Amino acid sequence: NAGVTQTPKFRVLKTGQSMTLLCAQDMNHEYMYWYRQDPGMGLRLIHYSVGEGTTAKGEVPDGYNVSRLKKQNFLLGLESAAPSQTSVYFCASSYLNGLAGGKQFFGPGTRLTVL
Amino acid sequence: AQSVTQPDIHITVSEGASLELRCNYSYGATPYLFWYVQSPGQGLQLLLKYFSGDTLVQGIKGFEAEFKRSQSSFNLRKPSVHWSDAAEYFCAVGSGNTPLVFGKGTRLSVIA
């Protein structure tokens, strides 16, 4: 049982490049989330999903897109990366118990630098 | 809109001393309240949560937190801190219909 995994762990992009971050969970969780963590800002929700085929915007969705084609995977895309998107990205998943009712399981994070 | 305030950015305590990390929230209804811990280079791990019932909740690693509705607070406590407790601690608030909102975190340093 691997829990929540994220690929890649590190990435450096140039401004304007695109990339996709992959999150996978093997706990059969309905809810999945993408956060970004910046110094002094805590975690901010980018997008989330309440089930396969669904996505919704969080607090800071601009510049990102997501897809949940399979229940176990949640992809975060950056179509045209900007330096302001330099951050550590965390994926999380939780049981079906309301959006905030379930314990969230976090992945190890992806450190992204945009030059 | 719901919000979470952690007034202390950084706290330093001596090993063996007691600890209290503050958390204040703003929320219209009875909230779900959480404390998460993040060790360096790691993702977040749930310490404890409050949904309803007994306002003093016990968590992992010897931590506890008390929900005080009148003060809109959910402070985290530990009677005796260990060096391995050095980490960043996040308070979060949410409900069944809204995603969690995290505070900005409190970094805990432990000195000998």
XYZ file of all heavy atoms in Angstrom, chain A residues 31 33 35 37 40-45 48 57 59 90 97-109 111, chain B residues 2 32 34 36 38 41-46 49 51 88 90 93-105:
449
model
N -12.074 11.644 -2.809
C -11.670 13.042 -2.869
C -10.173 13.156 -3.087
O -9.387 12.482 -2.427
C -12.029 13.765 -1.560
C -13.505 13.889 -1.314
C -14.231 12.847 -0.765
C -14.163 15.074 -1.621
C -15.588 12.956 -0.548
C -15.524 15.197 -1.403
C -16.233 14.141 -0.867
O -17.571 14.261 -0.657
N -6.993 16.294 -3.995
C -6.721 17.728 -3.891
C -5.315 18.029 -4.395
O -4.411 17.222 -4.236
C -6.781 18.185 -2.422
C -7.966 17.686 -1.631
C -7.971 16.412 -1.075
C -9.084 18.501 -1.441
C -9.052 15.947 -0.341
C -10.176 18.049 -0.709
C -10.151 16.772 -0.162
O -11.231 16.320 0.561
N -2.552 21.144 -3.740
C -2.196 22.344 -2.996
C -0.837 22.846 -3.484
O -0.018 22.091 -3.970
C -2.044 22.045 -1.502
C -3.282 21.598 -0.782
C -3.590 20.247 -0.658
C -4.129 22.528 -0.186
C -4.714 19.834 0.037
C -5.256 22.121 0.509
C -5.536 20.770 0.624
O -6.649 20.369 1.319
N 2.427 25.087 -1.706
C 2.948 25.595 -0.447
C 4.079 26.563 -0.725
O 5.076 26.207 -1.366
C 3.449 24.458 0.445
C 3.925 24.936 1.818
C 4.362 23.802 2.716
O 4.861 22.781 2.274
N 4.172 23.982 4.018
N 5.673 31.096 4.264
C 4.837 32.077 4.931
C 3.398 32.132 4.475
O 2.633 32.972 4.951
N 3.027 31.230 3.554
C 1.655 31.269 3.005
C 0.845 30.041 3.382
O -0.344 29.963 3.072
C 1.703 31.384 1.476
C 2.373 32.642 0.977
S 1.469 34.116 1.466
C -0.009 33.922 0.489
N 1.466 29.065 4.021
C 0.738 27.845 4.333
C 0.409 27.066 3.076
O 1.087 27.191 2.047
N -0.622 26.258 3.138
C -1.088 25.504 1.973
C -2.294 26.197 1.380
O -3.228 26.567 2.099
C -1.484 24.074 2.366
C -0.378 23.044 2.328
C 0.541 23.221 3.498
C -0.962 21.640 2.315
N -2.280 26.336 0.076
C -3.421 26.931 -0.608
C -3.944 25.941 -1.641
O -3.178 25.374 -2.421
C -3.018 28.256 -1.262
C -2.688 29.357 -0.243
C -2.329 30.648 -0.935
N -1.051 30.552 -1.629
C -0.578 31.472 -2.468
N -1.307 32.551 -2.736
N 0.588 31.302 -3.053
N -5.250 25.778 -1.652
C -5.879 24.795 -2.519
C -5.960 25.315 -3.950
O -6.481 26.410 -4.200
C -7.283 24.482 -1.991
C -8.063 23.407 -2.724
C -7.366 22.047 -2.611
C -9.477 23.322 -2.162
N -9.616 20.712 -6.766
C -9.924 19.476 -6.086
C -10.937 18.680 -6.902
O -11.493 19.172 -7.898
C -10.438 19.717 -4.655
C -11.729 20.504 -4.563
C -12.958 19.854 -4.438
C -11.709 21.891 -4.565
C -14.127 20.578 -4.325
C -12.882 22.620 -4.465
C -14.082 21.962 -4.333
O -15.242 22.673 -4.232
N -12.634 24.294 -8.783
C -11.597 25.257 -8.478
C -11.465 25.469 -6.982
O -12.446 25.508 -6.251
C -11.903 26.593 -9.168
C -11.850 26.524 -10.680
C -12.174 27.883 -11.285
C -12.103 27.810 -12.806
N -12.424 29.118 -13.439
N -8.793 27.802 -4.143
C -8.501 29.204 -3.825
C -7.647 29.885 -4.889
O -7.818 31.064 -5.177
C -7.788 29.260 -2.469
C -7.404 30.640 -1.980
C -6.579 30.583 -0.703
O -6.394 29.473 -0.142
O -6.096 31.648 -0.260
N 1.679 19.827 -3.373
C 1.274 18.627 -2.643
C -0.068 18.149 -3.165
O -0.994 18.930 -3.368
C 1.154 18.917 -1.146
C 2.474 19.063 -0.459
C 2.994 20.319 -0.214
C 3.183 17.952 -0.068
C 4.224 20.469 0.415
C 4.413 18.078 0.563
C 4.928 19.351 0.795
N -16.261 11.537 3.021
C -16.858 11.997 4.268
C -17.021 13.500 4.223
O -16.719 14.210 5.165
C -15.993 11.593 5.462
C -16.705 11.834 6.772
O -17.922 11.971 6.813
N -15.947 11.945 7.842
N -17.456 13.992 3.127
C -17.552 15.433 2.981
C -16.202 15.998 2.587
O -15.167 15.383 2.774
N -16.215 17.196 2.091
C -14.983 17.787 1.577
C -13.941 17.943 2.661
O -12.766 17.747 2.421
C -15.280 19.145 0.948
C -15.748 19.081 -0.506
C -16.281 20.422 -0.949
C -14.615 18.642 -1.399
N -14.346 18.287 3.851
C -13.354 18.521 4.898
C -13.502 17.525 6.036
O -12.799 17.608 7.017
C -13.476 19.937 5.449
N -14.383 16.573 5.909
C -14.625 15.681 7.026
C -13.636 14.562 7.164
O -13.426 14.027 8.237
N -13.009 14.208 6.073
C -12.131 13.067 6.116
C -10.684 13.436 6.350
O -10.239 14.512 5.989
N -9.965 12.520 6.962
C -8.537 12.700 7.130
C -7.884 12.739 5.756
O -8.168 11.892 4.909
C -7.984 11.532 7.932
C -6.468 11.451 8.003
C -6.049 10.205 8.752
C -4.543 10.048 8.760
N -4.126 8.830 9.485
N -7.049 13.724 5.536
C -6.362 13.822 4.261
C -4.998 13.147 4.356
O -4.257 13.351 5.323
C -6.209 15.286 3.838
C -7.543 15.921 3.473
C -7.401 17.256 2.761
O -6.347 17.591 2.229
N -8.481 18.019 2.746
N -4.701 12.376 3.328
C -3.402 11.718 3.219
C -2.614 12.474 2.160
O -3.083 12.637 1.030
C -3.569 10.255 2.808
C -4.222 9.410 3.854
C -5.599 9.449 4.054
C -3.470 8.565 4.645
C -6.207 8.670 5.016
C -4.067 7.776 5.613
C -5.440 7.831 5.807
N -1.417 12.891 2.532
C -0.623 13.737 1.647
C 0.503 12.953 0.980
O 1.094 12.047 1.573
C -0.012 14.897 2.436
C -0.977 16.000 2.721
C -1.875 15.899 3.764
C -0.994 17.134 1.929
C -2.781 16.918 4.032
C -1.896 18.163 2.181
C -2.788 18.056 3.230
N 0.790 13.354 -0.245
C 1.965 12.862 -0.923
C 3.212 13.585 -0.436
O 3.118 14.529 0.342
N 4.388 13.177 -0.926
C 5.653 13.749 -0.451
C 5.981 15.102 -1.063
O 6.913 15.765 -0.611
C 6.683 12.709 -0.877
C 6.071 12.060 -2.078
C 4.588 12.052 -1.832
N 5.246 15.525 -2.070
C 5.473 16.828 -2.664
C 6.315 16.797 -3.922
O 7.109 15.878 -4.147
N 8.770 19.583 -5.933
C 9.393 20.914 -5.884
C 9.609 21.388 -7.312
O 10.388 20.795 -8.059
C 10.712 20.867 -5.124
C 11.359 22.232 -4.923
C 12.573 22.133 -4.017
N 12.218 21.745 -2.666
C 11.802 22.592 -1.731
N 11.709 23.875 -1.997
N 11.515 22.149 -0.521
N -14.508 31.342 5.557
C -13.767 30.804 6.689
C -12.298 31.188 6.586
O -11.762 31.354 5.491
C -13.910 29.286 6.732
C -13.431 28.564 5.480
C -14.081 27.214 5.323
O -15.280 27.081 5.450
N -13.293 26.198 5.048
N -15.311 21.858 11.341
C -14.402 20.737 11.555
C -13.020 21.354 11.734
O -12.622 22.221 10.938
C -14.372 19.796 10.356
C -15.670 19.112 10.037
C -15.865 18.538 8.788
C -16.696 19.001 10.961
C -17.043 17.883 8.461
C -17.874 18.356 10.653
C -18.049 17.806 9.402
O -19.215 17.169 9.077
N -8.754 20.797 12.519
C -7.678 19.829 12.380
C -6.345 20.472 12.764
O -6.149 21.670 12.608
C -7.538 19.367 10.919
C -8.768 18.743 10.329
C -9.828 19.526 9.897
C -8.858 17.374 10.175
C -10.962 18.949 9.345
C -9.987 16.786 9.615
C -11.028 17.581 9.199
N -2.368 19.483 11.606
C -1.454 18.662 10.830
C -0.022 19.050 11.172
O 0.246 20.203 11.513
C -1.667 18.866 9.333
C -2.862 18.139 8.736
C -4.133 18.687 8.811
C -2.699 16.914 8.103
C -5.222 18.013 8.264
C -3.779 16.239 7.544
C -5.036 16.802 7.633
O -6.114 16.142 7.080
N 4.087 18.837 9.686
C 4.930 18.606 8.513
C 6.391 18.604 8.931
O 6.924 19.634 9.349
C 4.697 19.694 7.456
C 5.483 19.470 6.180
C 5.274 20.581 5.159
O 5.042 21.729 5.516
N 5.333 20.232 3.879
N 10.860 18.446 4.479
C 10.910 17.661 3.264
C 9.813 16.626 3.125
O 9.869 15.786 2.210
N 8.819 16.679 3.980
C 7.754 15.671 3.973
C 6.406 16.306 3.666
O 6.251 17.536 3.699
C 7.665 14.985 5.347
C 8.961 14.369 5.826
C 9.338 13.153 5.010
O 8.502 12.329 4.664
N 10.621 13.050 4.683
N 5.438 15.446 3.400
C 4.065 15.906 3.304
C 3.480 16.081 4.693
O 4.167 15.904 5.702
N 2.220 16.445 4.770
C 1.570 16.690 6.048
C 0.985 15.400 6.613
O 0.533 14.525 5.871
C 0.440 17.720 5.889
C 0.855 19.184 5.911
C 1.623 19.550 4.659
C -0.369 20.071 6.073
N 0.958 15.320 7.936
C 0.395 14.171 8.634
C -0.614 14.673 9.654
O -0.337 15.624 10.398
C 1.504 13.371 9.329
C 1.011 12.152 10.081
C 2.108 11.468 10.860
O 3.142 12.053 11.179
N 1.907 10.201 11.181
N -1.775 14.025 9.720
C -2.808 14.436 10.653
C -2.404 14.101 12.086
O -2.033 12.965 12.393
C -4.119 13.732 10.322
C -5.294 14.059 11.229
C -5.726 15.514 11.032
C -6.468 13.123 10.950
N -8.174 15.725 15.161
C -9.278 16.457 14.546
C -10.426 16.564 15.524
O -10.568 15.744 16.444
C -9.730 15.750 13.269
C -10.268 14.343 13.507
C -10.605 13.664 12.186
C -11.102 12.238 12.441
N -11.351 11.511 11.170
N -14.651 17.151 15.411
C -15.890 17.318 14.656
C -17.007 17.759 15.581
O -17.759 18.682 15.279
C -16.287 15.994 13.976
C -15.445 15.635 12.791
C -15.638 14.444 12.122
C -14.442 16.479 12.327
C -14.859 14.105 11.018
C -13.658 16.147 11.243
C -13.872 14.948 10.582
N 6.854 21.807 11.341
C 5.901 22.902 11.129
C 4.503 22.348 11.375
O 4.172 21.251 10.939
C 6.024 23.480 9.727
C 5.181 24.719 9.517
C 5.851 25.751 8.611
O 6.735 25.367 7.834
O 5.474 26.947 8.707
N 0.314 22.965 11.252
C -0.742 23.684 10.556
C -2.096 23.377 11.178
O -2.455 22.215 11.364
C -0.784 23.281 9.074
C 0.420 23.694 8.293
C 1.499 22.836 8.130
C 0.483 24.952 7.711
C 2.619 23.222 7.409
C 1.598 25.349 6.981
C 2.663 24.479 6.830
N -9.401 24.448 9.063
C -10.834 24.475 9.360
C -11.615 24.185 8.100
O -11.197 24.555 6.995
C -11.238 25.840 9.953
C -11.017 26.974 8.956
C -12.701 25.835 10.396
N -12.737 23.508 8.236
C -13.576 23.213 7.076
C -14.924 22.704 7.537
O -15.266 22.775 8.722
N -15.680 22.179 6.565
C -16.979 21.587 6.859
C -17.239 20.487 5.853
O -16.392 20.217 4.992
C -18.087 22.633 6.778
O -18.360 22.937 5.425
N -18.401 19.893 5.951
C -18.710 18.836 5.007
C -18.886 19.340 3.589
O -18.758 18.575 2.642
N -19.151 20.638 3.436
C -19.442 21.171 2.115
C -18.359 22.072 1.543
O -18.466 22.523 0.410
C -20.747 21.978 2.153
C -21.921 21.107 2.524
O -22.031 19.993 2.053
N -22.768 21.620 3.387
N -17.365 22.350 2.341
C -16.302 23.243 1.874
C -14.945 22.615 2.129
O -14.754 21.943 3.133
C -16.358 24.602 2.588
O -16.245 24.395 3.993
C -17.657 25.320 2.280
N -14.012 22.852 1.212
C -12.669 22.292 1.423
C -11.998 22.909 2.634
O -12.358 23.984 3.097
C -11.931 22.663 0.142
C -12.976 23.008 -0.847
C -14.113 23.561 -0.062
N -10.972 22.242 3.121
C -10.192 22.756 4.233
C -9.496 24.057 3.866
O -9.025 24.226 2.750
C -9.134 21.740 4.646
C -9.557 20.558 5.512
C -8.324 19.745 5.881
C -10.288 21.010 6.747
N -9.420 24.946 4.866
C -8.590 26.133 4.766
C -7.504 25.996 5.814
O -7.797 25.765 6.991
C -9.399 27.415 5.008
C -8.465 28.623 5.056
C -10.445 27.597 3.914
N -6.253 26.124 5.380
C -5.121 25.957 6.279
C -4.616 27.307 6.771
O -4.641 28.303 6.042
C -3.977 25.238 5.566
C -4.204 23.767 5.373
C -4.940 23.298 4.298
C -3.682 22.847 6.262
C -5.154 21.936 4.115
C -3.893 21.482 6.088
C -4.632 21.027 5.014
N -4.123 27.319 7.999
C -3.392 28.469 8.478
C -2.014 28.520 7.842
O -1.611 27.605 7.112
N -1.279 29.588 8.120
C 0.037 29.774 7.507
C 1.135 28.955 8.190
O 2.259 28.912 7.698
C 0.407 31.250 7.492
C -0.431 32.073 6.524
C -0.011 33.526 6.511
C -0.613 34.320 5.369
N -2.037 34.147 5.165
N 0.809 28.354 9.299
C 1.747 27.454 9.952
C 2.550 28.111 11.064
O 2.773 29.333 11.069
